[in-house]
Amino acid sequence: MLDTDAAIILIDRLLKDVGTRQDAGRLAFAEVQIDSSSQATSRFANSHMTQNQAQDATTVSLHLAGRESECRLSTQDISTGGLARLVDDAYAALMLLPAAKDPPAETAEPSDLIDSGQILDESRYDPACAALDASERGKAIKRMIQKADGNDQPEAIQLAGILANGQRLVAFGNSRGVRRVYRETFIESSLTGVIRNCDGSNATGWAKGHQTSMRDLDLDALTDRALAITARARNPREIAPGKYRVLLEAEAVLDLLGFIWWDFAATSHLDRLSPLAGKIGEQIFGSNVSLRDDVFHPLQSGPRFDGSGYDRKTVDLVKDGVLTGLVTGSRSSRRLSALSPDIQLTGHGLPEPSAMGEIPANPVFLPSDPRSMTIAIDDSVPTIVLNRVWYVREVDPSRKLLTGMTRDGIFMGGQEPLKNMRFNISLMDMLQSKSIVAMGPARRAAGEETFPAIVPSMIVDDFNFTETTKF
Amino acid sequence: MFDLLEIALGRAQDLKADFCDLRLVDETSEMLRYKNRSLAELSRETSIGIGIRVLHDGGWGFSATQSLAPSDIVAAVDTALALAKASSATFTAARQGYRLAPEPAWQERWLGPCQKDPFSIQIEDKLALLQVCADEMAAVPGITLSQGFLHFIRTDKYFASTEGARIHQTMYRTGCLIEATASDDQDIQRRSYPCSFGQYESAGYEMVEHWAMQDHARRIATEAVELLTADRCPEGYFDTILGGSQLGLQIHESMGHPSELDRALGEEINFAGASFLKPELINNLRYGSPLVHLVADATATGALGSFGYDDEGVQAQRIDLVKDGIFKGYLSSRDTASILGLERSGGCMRAQNWCFQPIIRMTNISLEPGKTPCSLDELISDTGSGLYLETNRSWSIDSMRYNFQFSTEYAREIKNGKLGRLLKNPSYSGITTDFWQSMDALCDRESWVQWGTPNCGKGQPMQVMWTGHGAAPARFRRLKIGAANA
């Protein structure tokens, strides 16, 4: 993968080439984005390694904006010839395009940026994480498998999962002189324990962690958690579907909330695809719900600039249940500011041109009172604990009605294993004060439906299970 | 290109790797996306690189590099071998390593179908089509968002192995979509054409012309607006006809995924899940009614999941998964076929691109059409009363593939053998085998379409794959409707 110097040299060279072409005078600006990554994933199942992969890839994309049209071309051929072709093809495409009704997005100027002199951000780069190699991953997996083998249960537990690590570089440069580079590392492990039930079927338990630094992911603790959930999940019983009080572990909360993140993007409001459209300043959730997009949060990850090079700002999305803000990119902020002068550019744009616009990439749920969780668990109302939700999909966008399944650990009262169930719930209802009984402290959670975010575990009432399944 | 691959194979042989195969993938794509009567996106991507797979002492290693410099290719082989050795160290006498089912070492050139190279069509012509569609949709009062896209991919794939295989394949894939959204303060409704998320085929620009989106743009926009004020679909048990594209996704989720042998063996249990189809159920499970004949057909001309050879050099095949309603077999690879004692892999190994290790993927998992002549109108007439549902809106199924719930964009009441009221927010749910056993009629080949699903996710890291699903409208007795709104 590319290092910082190589990325900057490549950006400079590409923009210089763009600027010396015959049609350069017809450009409003040009942008280059580089995404370079190196990652390795060791996969195992049935207590042996099934795949062991190492991938290295760099993509360079060039955004040419004329005064009335724009296009983006990308390539993984970063040879001199490949990059020259990229410029050739981008100009050729741009010259063919008719004038757009919506003029091109803007790009960052050095004067727009708080730290205009700061090019490199590697505050989330852990050299130990980047250096973890195949043999070390193999040893770590062997230790996990040995833990499973040594588990003191009436039935053996087989372990499956992944241990992955890697690094990523995101670099941005434009013809206005902005240069920004972000490097981060990651380590991830997702573990599933499998145990045989008395009837010959299997029960499973799961735990997952994703961090930017080795020291923040305790593989032993993660393995212990997966094994403990698996052991507890053995011999589940079926209960009747219906509305129950549930404790959603943070990973389950995340995989539900992931379906509402884009509703805080200005483009979803402009396109009238969100039920929150036109409700800024209104009470949309319970007063115990506050959400923020905050790339600077110590548990967050990702670059502090957006696809157009602008600084990513911290945005209060929901405060005490009131919709207080939206994230914007340069295009949506321009369109929305024509309607409401309070709308500002927040630096959340995706690389332009983009039909989707922007995304709050760093959500942080601010629990109102983490102590309430302890109080609620002592309550006399039976509570079902959900370890993981699965295959969540939006059924009705106007109500944020979601369906999905439970998986890998569902327990009555936290102890008695249950067979899995299908749920249909409205996020708009679930996030009301009358539904939320309690919240735990927010932590970095990693699920399967969306990117990691900072969310709490949560106890909610009237969680609607509509059907059962056979395991 | 084969010269580069020979360098890698030579290195693998020098290092005495038990087996090595390589894929050099050179891909170009173009996406044109319209939004509200304006071009929202023109993007083109080129991608080239080599994926190297090594099997050594029963353990797999995979390395990928986009550098075509010989020294980098050699280094990638070394990495793959080191990874394979690390994998093999996790095997014990009780846990045997992987072996490969035999396959001839093919040396072939294969060209996928393409009558009109989409990259040679003038960009003005492509934009003109999207503009006409956008104008048609925008002309319908009440439409709040109209979108459309054209998507073209050309792939050249060079495969070589230490067994002597040398295969070069060229394939085109083309996709198209228009969709109209109507929203008010209470509701958001969408209609799509040819199907939700876009129809994709292994074809050139001729498929775009075939689907004639411009002729359907005004209709779907009108339907989206009408859905805002339509009655809600009732709840209960109804005889229900599912439209072809919806049935295609049903096949994908409830037959395609559970028949993947890696899932059945527990190798995907951490993310994609497992399967209720255990090996001992082959020839012993009534999966569906006697009308249900499901095949995995990688040889189907023009279908999205077709190819000449899979990503481990196994020739494309047509395999029965369910015949006369009985479960018959799996989608497999060379290593999983060996575990099950099969004579040969089913030829289902594919990777998203050079950067990923191949895994078992669906090819074209299709429900064979009815043998008795039957059109959709005749099926509706024969149904008397019930529901007709079409075009997917959401989909979800459990991790063993028993319980599912789907919703569709559009429903019509069937009354006195004719289509009646428009109904909104339809959903249905059930258990896979119960569902397929309730199928009692389906349309014939005239109504059968090879639907393409371009976004099937599986694997870690996640890979997205192209799959095809041939289906004609079919009828299911007493299907459970409306659980989503219960």
Side-chain angles (χ1 to χ4, degrees):
Chain A
M1 66 174 287
L2 298 184
D3 61 21
T4 302
D5 290 343
I8 293 292
I9 289 168
L10 197 154
I11 288 171
D12 288 344
R13 202 172 78 202
L14 206 49
L15 288 171
K16 185 177 177 189
D17 189 8
V18 167
T20 54
R21 296 298 179 103
Q22 188 181 351
D23 291 313
R26 297 168 72 173
L27 290 184
F29 62 86
E31 294 173 332
V32 175
Q33 174 139 345
I34 297 174
D35 204 318
S36 186
S37 65
S38 172
Q39 66 170 325
T41 307
S42 297
R43 302 184 73 192
F44 56 102
N46 304 314
S47 296
H48 64 255
M49 200 97 87
T50 56
Q51 290 182 355
N52 213 348
Q53 314 167 50
Q55 292 123 329
D56 199 313
T58 297
T59 302
V60 177
S61 75
L62 174 63
H63 175 208
L64 293 188
R67 287 177 182 80
E68 295 180 315
S69 60
E70 60 187 324
C71 63
R72 178 174 291 273
L73 273 70
S74 66
T75 185
Q76 291 181 324
D77 180 357
I78 57 171
S79 65
T80 305
L83 294 175
R85 271 193 300 280
L86 180 71
V87 178
D88 290 343
D89 292 347
Y91 268 111
L94 188 71
M95 296 308 144
L96 284 171
L97 291 175
K101 295 175 181 68
D102 189 18
E106 291 299 316
T107 192
E109 301 276 358
S111 58
D112 292 328
L113 311 179
I114 294 171
D115 296 319
S116 56
Q118 184 184 334
I119 291 175
L120 175 62
D121 173 6
E122 48 186 15
S123 53
R124 290 165 180 146
Y125 186 89
D126 173 16
C129 197
L132 189 72
D133 66 14
S135 79
E136 288 167 308
R137 282 196 313 278
K139 282 178 198 161
I141 288 171
K142 213 161 189 175
R143 198 166 64 241
M144 294 173 185
I145 292 170
Q146 282 167 350
K147 261 182 183 282
D149 287 346
N151 202 55
D152 184 22
Q153 290 298 319
E155 283 287 336
I157 295 179
Q158 297 266 306
L159 207 58
I162 63 161
L163 178 57
N165 67 301
Q167 53 181 312
R168 178 185 179 213
L169 173 148
V170 182
F172 174 90
N174 65 15
S175 54
R176 307 282 167 82
V178 172
R179 300 288 184 273
R180 312 193 76 166
V181 181
Y182 174 77
R183 290 174 78 200
E184 76 175 12
T185 47
F186 82 92
I187 180 162
E188 176 177 301
S189 185
S190 176
L191 302 174
T192 300
V194 183
I195 193 167
R196 191 158 296 276
N197 297 318
C198 285
D199 65 3
S201 63
N202 289 332
T204 52
W206 172 81
K208 182 176 181 179
H210 182 288
Q211 300 290 346
T212 57
S213 169
M214 291 277 286
R215 65 179 172 275
D216 294 329
L217 186 61
D218 182 340
L219 292 176
D220 285 332
L222 195 75
T223 310
D224 289 342
R225 177 172 161 74
L227 294 176
I229 293 168
T230 307
R232 220 184 320 150
R234 188 163 182 257
N235 296 328
R237 72 175 173 98
E238 185 173 321
I239 62 167
K243 291 184 177 175
Y244 290 89
R245 173 173 287 188
V246 299
L247 187 160
L248 297 156
E249 295 288 5
E251 289 74 15
V253 170
L254 173 68
D255 276 347
L256 297 176
L257 291 185
F259 285 83
I260 207 162
W261 295 153
W262 196 57
D263 291 271
F264 299 107
T267 299
S268 76
H269 289 232
L270 287 164
D271 290 346
R272 298 193 55 168
L273 290 176
S274 171
L276 306 184
K279 293 186 176 170
I280 290 183
E282 292 184 21
Q283 189 86 32
I284 55 166
F285 299 139
S287 57
N288 47 0
V289 174
S290 293
L291 272 168
R292 178 180 289 164
D293 188 84
D294 183 6
V295 73
F296 302 101
H297 191 285
L299 298 179
Q300 273 291 0
S301 56
R304 295 171 186 184
F305 52 88
D306 76 355
S308 301
Y310 291 104
D311 286 329
R312 220 176 263 278
K313 294 175 182 163
T314 297
V315 180
D316 282 323
L317 305 169
V318 177
K319 206 166 184 180
D320 301 331
V322 176
L323 179 62
T324 50
L326 302 174
V327 298
T328 62
S330 71
R331 188 189 304 272
S332 59
S333 65
R334 182 177 64 206
R335 288 180 61 195
L336 266 179
S337 62
L339 307 171
S340 166
D342 296 336
I343 295 294
Q344 294 184 341
L345 173 64
T346 67
H348 288 79
L350 297 165
E352 291 283 355
S354 164
M356 196 175 169
E358 57 283 316
I359 185 86
N362 301 96
V364 177
F365 198 108
L366 306 169
S368 55
D369 181 4
R371 290 169 303 168
S372 64
M373 194 67 131
T374 320
I375 299 161
I377 288 170
D378 292 338
D379 203 337
S380 57
V381 179
T383 303
I384 294 174
V385 175
L386 296 190
N387 185 46
R388 183 183 189 184
V389 293
W390 162 249
Y391 226 131
V392 184
R393 291 292 181 272
E394 187 176 81
V395 177
D396 182 352
S398 66
R399 294 184 289 152
K400 303 307 289 185
L401 179 66
L402 307 181
T403 192
M405 291 295 303
T406 66
R407 176 180 174 179
D408 299 333
I410 166 171
F411 306 98
M412 179 64 81
Q415 294 298 323
E416 185 190 1
L418 302 176
K419 288 192 174 180
N420 288 295
M421 291 190 279
R422 172 167 297 287
F423 58 83
N424 280 275
I425 54 124
S426 160
L427 277 183
M428 301 303 292
D429 293 341
M430 191 185 97
L431 294 173
Q432 300 303 320
S433 295
K434 64 182 169 81
S435 297
I436 300 174
V437 177
M439 284 182 257
R443 62 180 173 84
R444 181 176 174 87
E448 307 291 7
E449 301 286 0
T450 185
F451 42 81
I454 319 306
V455 296
S457 53
M458 196 180 278
I459 296 177
V460 297
D461 269 340
D462 295 329
F463 197 87
N464 189 21
F465 293 108
T466 51
E467 289 177 350
T468 57
T469 187
K470 290 177 177 268
F471 64 101
Chain B
M1 292 295 188
F2 281 116
D3 293 347
L4 288 172
L5 301 188
E6 297 295 347
I7 295 168
L9 290 175
R11 179 67 173 180
Q13 283 161 338
D14 289 347
L15 296 173
K16 304 203 181 325
D18 293 343
F19 171 85
C20 175
D21 67 19
L22 311 116
R23 280 173 303 114
L24 190 156
V25 184
D26 183 358
E27 194 162 271
T28 303
S29 65
E30 179 182 87
M31 168 67 91
L32 297 96
R33 193 182 289 276
Y34 245 65
K35 183 174 170 182
N36 290 336
R37 304 181 70 193
S38 187
L39 180 67
E41 181 183 336
L42 167 63
S43 60
R44 288 179 182 163
E45 297 178 9
T46 59
S47 164
I48 188 167
I50 301 178
I52 298 164
R53 202 172 63 140
V54 167
L55 182 64
H56 192 74
D57 285 342
W60 279 118
F62 176 81
S63 170
T65 177
Q66 68 190 85
S67 170
L68 303 185
S71 58
D72 290 335
I73 295 171
V74 164
V77 173
D78 293 356
T79 300
L81 181 60
L83 291 164
K85 287 178 177 174
S87 296
S88 69
T90 63
F91 288 99
T92 62
R95 291 168 179 150
Q96 296 271 309
Y98 290 104
R99 296 194 191 99
L100 300 178
E103 179 70 15
W106 302 100
Q107 300 197 358
E108 299 287 343
R109 174 81 174 98
W110 187 86
L111 292 166
C114 175
Q115 294 168 28
K116 292 187 179 179
D117 182 349
F119 296 95
S120 69
I121 303 292
Q122 294 296 311
I123 201 163
E124 296 93 321
D125 294 338
K126 298 169 186 171
L127 294 175
L129 170 63
L130 289 170
Q131 186 70 56
V132 168
C133 295
D135 290 344
E136 286 287 303
M137 290 188 280
V140 177
I143 287 298
T144 48
L145 177 67
S146 64
Q147 299 187 89
F149 70 68
L150 298 173
H151 192 192
F152 311 105
I153 304 105
R154 177 195 154 110
T155 307
D156 270 289
K157 199 181 287 186
Y158 301 82
F159 176 87
S161 76
T162 48
E163 293 177 334
R166 302 289 185 273
I167 301 164
H168 175 198
Q169 301 183 81
T170 303
M171 53 191 78
Y172 287 83
R173 297 187 184 91
T174 295
C176 63
L177 169 77
I178 50 172
E179 75 183 17
T181 305
S183 60
D184 58 22
D185 290 341
Q186 306 295 321
D187 205 355
I188 302 168
Q189 294 290 339
R190 182 188 71 205
R191 287 292 283 135
S192 312
Y193 177 86
C195 55
S196 43
F197 320 113
Q199 166 66 347
Y200 280 78
E201 298 174 12
S202 290
Y205 198 76
E206 68 276 6
M207 76 78 75
V208 175
E209 295 172 338
H210 166 79
W211 285 102
M213 294 193 298
Q214 66 279 8
D215 296 342
H216 297 267
R218 193 173 291 248
R219 171 182 63 79
I220 64 164
T222 303
E223 288 172 355
V225 174
E226 289 173 350
L227 279 167
L228 288 176
T229 52
D231 292 335
R232 291 178 76 91
C233 190
E235 297 166 22
Y237 290 84
F238 295 87
D239 294 342
T240 302
I241 297 171
L242 297 179
S245 68
Q246 172 56 34
L247 195 51
L249 193 58
Q250 176 82 46
I251 294 165
H252 178 103
E253 301 291 357
S254 66
M255 184 63 225
H257 280 306
S259 67
E260 293 162 347
L261 186 49
D262 51 357
R263 296 177 68 114
L265 294 173
E267 293 191 352
E268 295 288 333
I269 197 166
N270 177 246
F271 172 58
S275 172
F276 72 93
L277 291 174
K278 301 300 176 197
E280 60 269 26
L281 296 177
I282 292 176
N283 293 321
N284 292 316
L285 173 72
R286 173 152 291 287
Y287 173 89
S289 74
L291 286 174
V292 176
H293 183 189
L294 287 154
V295 298
D297 186 2
T299 69
T301 303
L304 188 61
S306 293
F307 46 79
Y309 299 83
D310 77 356
D311 285 348
E312 57 178 2
V314 176
Q315 195 173 40
Q317 297 162 52
R318 177 186 159 96
I319 296 166
D320 281 334
L321 299 177
V322 174
K323 183 90 186 283
D324 302 326
I326 304 296
F327 172 49
K328 289 292 178 185
Y330 287 107
L331 307 172
S332 61
S333 57
R334 292 184 69 184
D335 58 0
T336 57
S338 173
I339 292 170
L340 219 60
L342 304 177
E343 287 183 3
R344 187 188 184 196
S345 160
C348 302
M349 286 289 266
R350 286 191 292 160
Q352 180 177 322
N353 59 30
W354 58 269
C355 200
F356 291 91
Q357 182 167 353
I359 53 176
I360 294 176
R361 305 308 303 250
M362 289 174 235
T363 54
N364 302 297
I365 314 302
S366 299
L367 176 65
E368 288 291 279
K371 291 172 182 158
T372 309
C374 179
S375 66
L376 178 57
D377 285 345
E378 287 167 331
L379 188 58
I380 290 167
S381 174
D382 182 63
T383 300
S385 67
L387 296 169
Y388 171 71
L389 274 57
E390 73 166 35
T391 316
N392 183 262
R393 193 183 191 196
S394 78
W395 66 103
S396 175
I397 190 164
D398 72 41
S399 55
M400 293 284 284
R401 305 276 151 175
Y402 286 117
N403 178 290
F404 62 81
Q405 179 180 303
F406 291 89
S407 64
T408 63
E409 290 181 354
Y410 177 90
R412 295 283 294 273
E413 187 177 40
I414 298 174
K415 202 170 180 181
N416 301 320
K418 291 188 165 43
L419 289 180
R421 282 185 304 157
L422 176 67
L423 301 166
K424 70 177 171 184
N425 299 345
S427 69
Y428 69 93
S429 54
I431 295 290
T432 292
T433 45
D434 297 344
F435 170 82
W436 286 106
Q437 286 175 31
S438 75
M439 191 185 96
D440 77 335
L442 77 167
C443 294
D444 61 25
R445 191 164 288 280
E446 289 294 308
S447 307
W448 193 84
V449 172
Q450 281 279 13
W451 298 100
T453 301
N455 55 351
C456 176
K458 185 182 173 187
Q460 295 164 298
M462 165 83 91
Q463 300 189 41
V464 177
M465 185 48 65
W466 316 92
T467 68
H469 304 290
R475 184 175 63 204
F476 298 83
R477 292 294 189 187
R478 289 187 53 74
L479 189 58
K480 187 177 179 184
I481 301 290
N485 296 305

